[in-house]
């Protein structure tokens, strides 16, 4: 095989493993340079100037296989925690050597929350590509493909973390998705507050926090869990929540009649 053939074969291989990447960098010049490097590796990237822009896109339903984020100031610890806790998307940090010590401790501290790695700005394209591949592959290995969950007009795409109500794609935040799926999987059964809180994967909450109740309220509204659709989401005081199918109850009453 000639060197030209080898080059073409390598380019085809890269194209076959294209990733959709969110690129976050507050420095426009560096952001454009890094985006060009990602493009050369076959990655489809969305360039963003801030963490706020990233979360706005996630709330709007954008799906990314990896987040590439450039570390540029001392605020990165707080920002990284918010990403790792609120999203299960692999995170690749582009950081100068002076940040590596702090990042090493942070990786240990946040190991239970997400999949994170670090690369230097002046690393080779091959190393950048390799670290992206490893992050995505680790997530795939930890989350093998599973079948969709369907209940009447509702369909949960587990792998893509999307919900469809008939033909409408309903945009849920990661935590809302997990809570909704848990309720649907336990239809007509009590799901305790302890069980639902556990889905936060240990995320600390103050005793008086109403975060769970707010999340449940959002799920009820977004998924239209109303009697008109044959569903009632009940709060069982001091215990948890119960999703009831009025259609199932009607069928039981008809069978007993």
């Amino acid at each position: 095989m000639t060197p030209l053939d080898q080059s073409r074969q390598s380019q085809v291989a890269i194209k076959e493993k294209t990733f959709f990447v969110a690129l976050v960098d507050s420095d426009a010049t560096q952001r454009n340079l890094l985006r060009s490097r990602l493009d050369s590796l076959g990655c489809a990237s969305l360039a963003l100037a801030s963490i706020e822009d990233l979360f706005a896109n996630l709330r709007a339903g954008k799906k990314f296989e990896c987040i590439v984020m450039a570390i540029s100031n001392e605020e990165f610890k707080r920002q990284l925690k918010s990403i790792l806790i609120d999203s299960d998307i692999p995170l690749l940090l582009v950081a100068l050597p002076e940040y590596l010590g702090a990042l090493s401790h942070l990786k240990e501290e946040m190991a239970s929350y997400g999949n994170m790695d670090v690369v230097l700005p002046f690393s080779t394209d091959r190393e950048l590509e390799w670290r992206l591949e490893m992050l995505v592959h680790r997530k795939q290995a930890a989350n093998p493909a599973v079948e969709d969950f369907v209940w009447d007009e509702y369909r949960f795409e587990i792998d893509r973390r999307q919900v469809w109500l008939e033909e409408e794609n309903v945009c849920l935040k990661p935590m809302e998705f997990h809570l909704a799926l848990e309720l649907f999987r336990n239809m007509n059964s009590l799901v305790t507050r302890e069980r639902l809180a556990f889905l936060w994967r240990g995320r600390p909450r103050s005793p008086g926090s109403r975060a769970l109740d707010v999340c449940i309220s959002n799920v009820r509204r977004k998924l239209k869990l109303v009697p008109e659709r044959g569903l009632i989401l009940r709060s069982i005081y001091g215990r948890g929540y119960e999703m009831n199918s009025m259609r199932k109850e009607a069928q039981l009453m008809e069978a007993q009649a």
Side-chain angles (χ1 to χ4, degrees), residues 82-105:
S82 66
I83 294 176
L84 290 171
I85 290 174
D86 292 326
S87 168
D88 61 359
I89 305 172
L91 178 61
L92 179 62
L93 305 176
V94 182
L96 292 170
E98 56 260 36
Y99 291 111
L100 296 184
L103 286 171
S104 177
H105 292 301

PDB file of all heavy atoms in Angstrom, residues 82-105:
ATOM      1  N   SER A  82     -20.452  21.791  38.425  1.00  0.00           N
ATOM      2  CA  SER A  82     -21.820  21.972  37.937  1.00  0.00           C
ATOM      3  C   SER A  82     -22.055  21.140  36.682  1.00  0.00           C
ATOM      4  O   SER A  82     -23.140  20.580  36.490  1.00  0.00           O
ATOM      5  CB  SER A  82     -22.102  23.453  37.661  1.00  0.00           C
ATOM      6  OG  SER A  82     -21.315  23.929  36.583  1.00  0.00           O
ATOM      7  N   ILE A  83     -21.047  21.019  35.818  1.00  0.00           N
ATOM      8  CA  ILE A  83     -21.194  20.218  34.601  1.00  0.00           C
ATOM      9  C   ILE A  83     -21.273  18.737  34.939  1.00  0.00           C
ATOM     10  O   ILE A  83     -22.164  18.011  34.468  1.00  0.00           O
ATOM     11  CB  ILE A  83     -20.018  20.467  33.635  1.00  0.00           C
ATOM     12  CG1 ILE A  83     -20.051  21.899  33.114  1.00  0.00           C
ATOM     13  CG2 ILE A  83     -20.087  19.502  32.453  1.00  0.00           C
ATOM     14  CD1 ILE A  83     -18.866  22.247  32.244  1.00  0.00           C
ATOM     15  N   LEU A  84     -20.351  18.258  35.767  1.00  0.00           N
ATOM     16  CA  LEU A  84     -20.292  16.834  36.077  1.00  0.00           C
ATOM     17  C   LEU A  84     -21.512  16.361  36.853  1.00  0.00           C
ATOM     18  O   LEU A  84     -21.973  15.234  36.677  1.00  0.00           O
ATOM     19  CB  LEU A  84     -19.018  16.529  36.870  1.00  0.00           C
ATOM     20  CG  LEU A  84     -17.707  16.649  36.081  1.00  0.00           C
ATOM     21  CD1 LEU A  84     -16.516  16.531  37.010  1.00  0.00           C
ATOM     22  CD2 LEU A  84     -17.636  15.582  34.994  1.00  0.00           C
ATOM     23  N   ILE A  85     -22.053  17.215  37.721  1.00  0.00           N
ATOM     24  CA  ILE A  85     -23.207  16.825  38.521  1.00  0.00           C
ATOM     25  C   ILE A  85     -24.484  16.844  37.684  1.00  0.00           C
ATOM     26  O   ILE A  85     -25.323  15.956  37.782  1.00  0.00           O
ATOM     27  CB  ILE A  85     -23.352  17.745  39.752  1.00  0.00           C
ATOM     28  CG1 ILE A  85     -22.211  17.460  40.742  1.00  0.00           C
ATOM     29  CG2 ILE A  85     -24.696  17.536  40.448  1.00  0.00           C
ATOM     30  CD1 ILE A  85     -22.175  18.396  41.930  1.00  0.00           C
ATOM     31  N   ASP A  86     -24.651  17.862  36.858  1.00  0.00           N
ATOM     32  CA  ASP A  86     -25.909  18.043  36.130  1.00  0.00           C
ATOM     33  C   ASP A  86     -25.923  17.379  34.760  1.00  0.00           C
ATOM     34  O   ASP A  86     -26.941  17.405  34.079  1.00  0.00           O
ATOM     35  CB  ASP A  86     -26.203  19.541  35.962  1.00  0.00           C
ATOM     36  CG  ASP A  86     -26.510  20.209  37.290  1.00  0.00           C
ATOM     37  OD1 ASP A  86     -27.099  19.540  38.146  1.00  0.00           O
ATOM     38  OD2 ASP A  86     -26.153  21.382  37.472  1.00  0.00           O
ATOM     39  N   SER A  87     -24.828  16.788  34.333  1.00  0.00           N
ATOM     40  CA  SER A  87     -24.779  16.161  33.021  1.00  0.00           C
ATOM     41  C   SER A  87     -23.884  14.928  33.087  1.00  0.00           C
ATOM     42  O   SER A  87     -22.896  14.906  33.806  1.00  0.00           O
ATOM     43  CB  SER A  87     -24.226  17.149  31.986  1.00  0.00           C
ATOM     44  OG  SER A  87     -23.917  16.497  30.783  1.00  0.00           O
ATOM     45  N   ASP A  88     -24.240  13.889  32.337  1.00  0.00           N
ATOM     46  CA  ASP A  88     -23.403  12.693  32.312  1.00  0.00           C
ATOM     47  C   ASP A  88     -22.583  12.610  31.019  1.00  0.00           C
ATOM     48  O   ASP A  88     -22.126  11.551  30.615  1.00  0.00           O
ATOM     49  CB  ASP A  88     -24.255  11.432  32.470  1.00  0.00           C
ATOM     50  CG  ASP A  88     -25.277  11.266  31.343  1.00  0.00           C
ATOM     51  OD1 ASP A  88     -25.325  12.147  30.457  1.00  0.00           O
ATOM     52  OD2 ASP A  88     -26.017  10.275  31.354  1.00  0.00           O
ATOM     53  N   ILE A  89     -22.372  13.760  30.378  1.00  0.00           N
ATOM     54  CA  ILE A  89     -21.595  13.804  29.139  1.00  0.00           C
ATOM     55  C   ILE A  89     -20.101  13.803  29.469  1.00  0.00           C
ATOM     56  O   ILE A  89     -19.664  14.568  30.337  1.00  0.00           O
ATOM     57  CB  ILE A  89     -21.941  15.069  28.332  1.00  0.00           C
ATOM     58  CG1 ILE A  89     -23.445  15.153  28.071  1.00  0.00           C
ATOM     59  CG2 ILE A  89     -21.180  15.088  27.007  1.00  0.00           C
ATOM     60  CD1 ILE A  89     -23.880  16.461  27.452  1.00  0.00           C
ATOM     61  N   PRO A  90     -19.299  12.971  28.810  1.00  0.00           N
ATOM     62  CA  PRO A  90     -17.848  12.977  29.056  1.00  0.00           C
ATOM     63  C   PRO A  90     -17.254  14.369  28.842  1.00  0.00           C
ATOM     64  O   PRO A  90     -17.684  15.115  27.963  1.00  0.00           O
ATOM     65  CB  PRO A  90     -17.315  11.984  28.016  1.00  0.00           C
ATOM     66  CG  PRO A  90     -18.466  11.084  27.735  1.00  0.00           C
ATOM     67  CD  PRO A  90     -19.691  11.940  27.833  1.00  0.00           C
ATOM     68  N   LEU A  91     -16.256  14.691  29.669  1.00  0.00           N
ATOM     69  CA  LEU A  91     -15.680  16.042  29.679  1.00  0.00           C
ATOM     70  C   LEU A  91     -14.171  15.968  29.468  1.00  0.00           C
ATOM     71  O   LEU A  91     -13.461  15.325  30.241  1.00  0.00           O
ATOM     72  CB  LEU A  91     -15.996  16.708  31.015  1.00  0.00           C
ATOM     73  CG  LEU A  91     -15.450  18.114  31.274  1.00  0.00           C
ATOM     74  CD1 LEU A  91     -16.002  19.100  30.247  1.00  0.00           C
ATOM     75  CD2 LEU A  91     -15.820  18.559  32.684  1.00  0.00           C
ATOM     76  N   LEU A  92     -13.683  16.622  28.412  1.00  0.00           N
ATOM     77  CA  LEU A  92     -12.248  16.708  28.149  1.00  0.00           C
ATOM     78  C   LEU A  92     -11.799  18.144  28.383  1.00  0.00           C
ATOM     79  O   LEU A  92     -12.283  19.075  27.734  1.00  0.00           O
ATOM     80  CB  LEU A  92     -11.923  16.298  26.711  1.00  0.00           C
ATOM     81  CG  LEU A  92     -10.440  16.372  26.323  1.00  0.00           C
ATOM     82  CD1 LEU A  92      -9.607  15.426  27.185  1.00  0.00           C
ATOM     83  CD2 LEU A  92     -10.251  16.047  24.842  1.00  0.00           C
ATOM     84  N   LEU A  93     -10.879  18.319  29.327  1.00  0.00           N
ATOM     85  CA  LEU A  93     -10.392  19.643  29.680  1.00  0.00           C
ATOM     86  C   LEU A  93      -9.090  19.941  28.948  1.00  0.00           C
ATOM     87  O   LEU A  93      -8.192  19.095  28.890  1.00  0.00           O
ATOM     88  CB  LEU A  93     -10.163  19.728  31.187  1.00  0.00           C
ATOM     89  CG  LEU A  93     -11.365  19.368  32.063  1.00  0.00           C
ATOM     90  CD1 LEU A  93     -10.965  19.389  33.531  1.00  0.00           C
ATOM     91  CD2 LEU A  93     -12.515  20.317  31.808  1.00  0.00           C
ATOM     92  N   VAL A  94      -8.986  21.154  28.403  1.00  0.00           N
ATOM     93  CA  VAL A  94      -7.755  21.618  27.776  1.00  0.00           C
ATOM     94  C   VAL A  94      -7.135  22.611  28.748  1.00  0.00           C
ATOM     95  O   VAL A  94      -7.664  23.704  28.960  1.00  0.00           O
ATOM     96  CB  VAL A  94      -8.041  22.285  26.417  1.00  0.00           C
ATOM     97  CG1 VAL A  94      -6.737  22.718  25.768  1.00  0.00           C
ATOM     98  CG2 VAL A  94      -8.815  21.340  25.510  1.00  0.00           C
ATOM     99  N   ALA A  95      -6.026  22.221  29.378  1.00  0.00           N
ATOM    100  CA  ALA A  95      -5.489  23.015  30.484  1.00  0.00           C
ATOM    101  C   ALA A  95      -3.978  23.158  30.396  1.00  0.00           C
ATOM    102  O   ALA A  95      -3.271  22.232  29.990  1.00  0.00           O
ATOM    103  CB  ALA A  95      -5.865  22.374  31.814  1.00  0.00           C
ATOM    104  N   LEU A  96      -3.502  24.314  30.822  1.00  0.00           N
ATOM    105  CA  LEU A  96      -2.066  24.564  30.905  1.00  0.00           C
ATOM    106  C   LEU A  96      -1.474  23.762  32.068  1.00  0.00           C
ATOM    107  O   LEU A  96      -2.193  23.385  33.004  1.00  0.00           O
ATOM    108  CB  LEU A  96      -1.807  26.053  31.098  1.00  0.00           C
ATOM    109  CG  LEU A  96      -2.153  26.937  29.905  1.00  0.00           C
ATOM    110  CD1 LEU A  96      -2.095  28.412  30.312  1.00  0.00           C
ATOM    111  CD2 LEU A  96      -1.216  26.660  28.735  1.00  0.00           C
ATOM    112  N   PRO A  97      -0.150  23.515  32.046  1.00  0.00           N
ATOM    113  CA  PRO A  97       0.475  22.691  33.091  1.00  0.00           C
ATOM    114  C   PRO A  97       0.215  23.175  34.509  1.00  0.00           C
ATOM    115  O   PRO A  97       0.112  22.357  35.437  1.00  0.00           O
ATOM    116  CB  PRO A  97       1.969  22.776  32.740  1.00  0.00           C
ATOM    117  CG  PRO A  97       2.000  23.014  31.269  1.00  0.00           C
ATOM    118  CD  PRO A  97       0.814  23.888  30.984  1.00  0.00           C
ATOM    119  N   GLU A  98       0.083  24.487  34.735  1.00  0.00           N
ATOM    120  CA  GLU A  98      -0.097  24.981  36.103  1.00  0.00           C
ATOM    121  C   GLU A  98      -1.412  24.545  36.736  1.00  0.00           C
ATOM    122  O   GLU A  98      -1.593  24.632  37.944  1.00  0.00           O
ATOM    123  CB  GLU A  98       0.009  26.513  36.136  1.00  0.00           C
ATOM    124  CG  GLU A  98      -0.959  27.234  35.218  1.00  0.00           C
ATOM    125  CD  GLU A  98      -0.296  27.681  33.930  1.00  0.00           C
ATOM    126  OE1 GLU A  98       0.573  26.936  33.433  1.00  0.00           O
ATOM    127  OE2 GLU A  98      -0.631  28.776  33.449  1.00  0.00           O
ATOM    128  N   TYR A  99      -2.349  24.081  35.912  1.00  0.00           N
ATOM    129  CA  TYR A  99      -3.640  23.644  36.446  1.00  0.00           C
ATOM    130  C   TYR A  99      -3.695  22.136  36.700  1.00  0.00           C
ATOM    131  O   TYR A  99      -4.667  21.646  37.281  1.00  0.00           O
ATOM    132  CB  TYR A  99      -4.768  24.006  35.473  1.00  0.00           C
ATOM    133  CG  TYR A  99      -5.046  25.481  35.355  1.00  0.00           C
ATOM    134  CD1 TYR A  99      -4.746  26.163  34.177  1.00  0.00           C
ATOM    135  CD2 TYR A  99      -5.612  26.196  36.398  1.00  0.00           C
ATOM    136  CE1 TYR A  99      -4.991  27.517  34.053  1.00  0.00           C
ATOM    137  CE2 TYR A  99      -5.860  27.548  36.283  1.00  0.00           C
ATOM    138  CZ  TYR A  99      -5.553  28.208  35.100  1.00  0.00           C
ATOM    139  OH  TYR A  99      -5.802  29.548  34.987  1.00  0.00           O
ATOM    140  N   LEU A 100      -2.691  21.407  36.264  1.00  0.00           N
ATOM    141  CA  LEU A 100      -2.763  19.947  36.319  1.00  0.00           C
ATOM    142  C   LEU A 100      -2.858  19.409  37.741  1.00  0.00           C
ATOM    143  O   LEU A 100      -3.564  18.428  37.992  1.00  0.00           O
ATOM    144  CB  LEU A 100      -1.548  19.341  35.604  1.00  0.00           C
ATOM    145  CG  LEU A 100      -1.468  19.625  34.099  1.00  0.00           C
ATOM    146  CD1 LEU A 100      -0.276  18.890  33.487  1.00  0.00           C
ATOM    147  CD2 LEU A 100      -2.750  19.224  33.398  1.00  0.00           C
ATOM    148  N   GLY A 101      -2.157  20.023  38.683  1.00  0.00           N
ATOM    149  CA  GLY A 101      -2.214  19.559  40.070  1.00  0.00           C
ATOM    150  C   GLY A 101      -3.615  19.664  40.644  1.00  0.00           C
ATOM    151  O   GLY A 101      -4.131  18.704  41.227  1.00  0.00           O
ATOM    152  N   ALA A 102      -4.232  20.823  40.463  1.00  0.00           N
ATOM    153  CA  ALA A 102      -5.585  21.022  40.974  1.00  0.00           C
ATOM    154  C   ALA A 102      -6.573  20.097  40.283  1.00  0.00           C
ATOM    155  O   ALA A 102      -7.499  19.570  40.909  1.00  0.00           O
ATOM    156  CB  ALA A 102      -6.012  22.482  40.796  1.00  0.00           C
ATOM    157  N   LEU A 103      -6.391  19.871  38.996  1.00  0.00           N
ATOM    158  CA  LEU A 103      -7.294  19.007  38.251  1.00  0.00           C
ATOM    159  C   LEU A 103      -7.167  17.554  38.683  1.00  0.00           C
ATOM    160  O   LEU A 103      -8.141  16.807  38.697  1.00  0.00           O
ATOM    161  CB  LEU A 103      -7.018  19.129  36.751  1.00  0.00           C
ATOM    162  CG  LEU A 103      -7.494  20.430  36.102  1.00  0.00           C
ATOM    163  CD1 LEU A 103      -6.977  20.523  34.672  1.00  0.00           C
ATOM    164  CD2 LEU A 103      -9.009  20.523  36.128  1.00  0.00           C
ATOM    165  N   SER A 104      -5.961  17.145  39.040  1.00  0.00           N
ATOM    166  CA  SER A 104      -5.751  15.778  39.502  1.00  0.00           C
ATOM    167  C   SER A 104      -6.564  15.509  40.768  1.00  0.00           C
ATOM    168  O   SER A 104      -7.228  14.473  40.897  1.00  0.00           O
ATOM    169  CB  SER A 104      -4.264  15.532  39.765  1.00  0.00           C
ATOM    170  OG  SER A 104      -4.053  14.235  40.285  1.00  0.00           O
ATOM    171  N   HIS A 105      -6.529  16.447  41.717  1.00  0.00           N
ATOM    172  CA  HIS A 105      -7.308  16.292  42.951  1.00  0.00           C
ATOM    173  C   HIS A 105      -8.800  16.336  42.639  1.00  0.00           C
ATOM    174  O   HIS A 105      -9.591  15.602  43.241  1.00  0.00           O
ATOM    175  CB  HIS A 105      -6.956  17.402  43.939  1.00  0.00           C
ATOM    176  CG  HIS A 105      -5.559  17.308  44.476  1.00  0.00           C
ATOM    177  ND1 HIS A 105      -5.108  16.199  45.171  1.00  0.00           N
ATOM    178  CD2 HIS A 105      -4.507  18.166  44.401  1.00  0.00           C
ATOM    179  CE1 HIS A 105      -3.835  16.389  45.522  1.00  0.00           C
ATOM    180  NE2 HIS A 105      -3.452  17.565  45.067  1.00  0.00           N
TER     181      HIS A 105
END
